[in-house]
Amino acid sequence: MLESEGFLAFPSVNRFCTAPSNRTGFLCDDRVTCIPSSWVCDRVSNCRNGEDEQEKLCGDLPHSLPGYLVFLCSNPRSWIYADQRCNGMNDCGDCSDESGSLASCPPCGWEWWSCIPVRYEYCSCIPRRLCRDGVQDCLDWSDEYVCRP
Ligand SMILES: [Ca+2]
Ligand SMILES: [Ca+2]
Ligand SMILES: [Ca+2]
């Protein structure tokens, strides 16, 4: 359990934290700032001292990252950041981060409409703002004829 939570990379510090919108995050050295997982190793310093971009973390992605920041897609060659799991977007490319048993996401929230999307970027629901916008987003056209924005 300790290894999977990243204690090996940070023997003395547990940097797990919860970023805004309930996303899995990374705690900066100031012990207050919690940045979303996907801001780690994105080549932009988000922590004051740049500790989110240090070589020890980013040298061998994703293995150099603590496990809680990483979600492994069902395709063994693909991985995403933990905060990209269950965010409605098809980040793995095969929807294993949204509709797979690995991800075990809750059902689409009220701001989403459940259907089979026609666009690759969504998996099992589309954002409600796409309802009645004059463009087909669901295979069955329910976004244009049933859904209310
Ligand atoms: Ca960063
Ligand atoms: Ca996703
Ligand atoms: Ca639409």
Side-chain angles (χ1 to χ4, degrees):
M1 178 207 163
L2 292 183
E3 288 181 30
S4 69
E5 304 227 335
F7 283 85
L8 274 192
F10 299 101
S12 57
V13 198
N14 176 11
R15 291 186 185 266
F16 179 90
C17 61
T18 303
S21 303
N22 222 9
R23 293 192 283 176
T24 302
F26 174 87
L27 193 61
C28 296
D29 281 349
D30 64 9
R31 309 295 287 160
V32 175
T33 311
C34 181
I35 64 168
S37 321
S38 51
W39 292 14
V40 178
C41 304
D42 65 348
R43 296 170 190 253
V44 177
S45 285
N46 302 101
C47 294
R48 182 171 301 181
N49 301 321
E51 56 270 26
D52 57 314
E53 299 299 321
Q54 59 189 305
E55 171 69 22
K56 192 170 66 173
L57 266 183
C58 310
D60 178 25
L61 295 176
H63 313 288
S64 47
L65 290 171
Y68 61 83
L69 292 179
V70 176
F71 175 81
L72 299 172
C73 301
S74 56
N75 178 341
R77 282 173 307 183
S78 301
W79 67 277
I80 59 169
Y81 286 100
D83 61 344
Q84 295 171 307
R85 180 181 72 92
C86 301
N87 67 349
M89 307 299 292
N90 180 12
D91 298 289
C92 278
D94 60 4
C95 283
S96 55
D97 57 319
E98 296 298 322
S99 46
S101 55
L102 287 175
S104 64
C105 300
C108 304
W110 62 269
E111 70 272 44
W112 297 81
W113 175 252
S114 293
C115 71
I116 299 171
V118 295
R119 286 177 20 219
Y120 172 77
E121 59 186 307
Y122 304 113
C123 292
S124 52
C125 32
I126 61 161
R128 243 173 218 280
R129 61 182 159 75
L130 300 179
C131 292
R132 304 201 187 229
D133 65 350
V135 178
Q136 181 191 14
D137 296 283
C138 295
L139 211 54
D140 61 2
W141 285 90
S142 60
D143 60 307
E144 294 301 308
Y145 294 106
V146 185
C147 173
R148 303 256 166 216

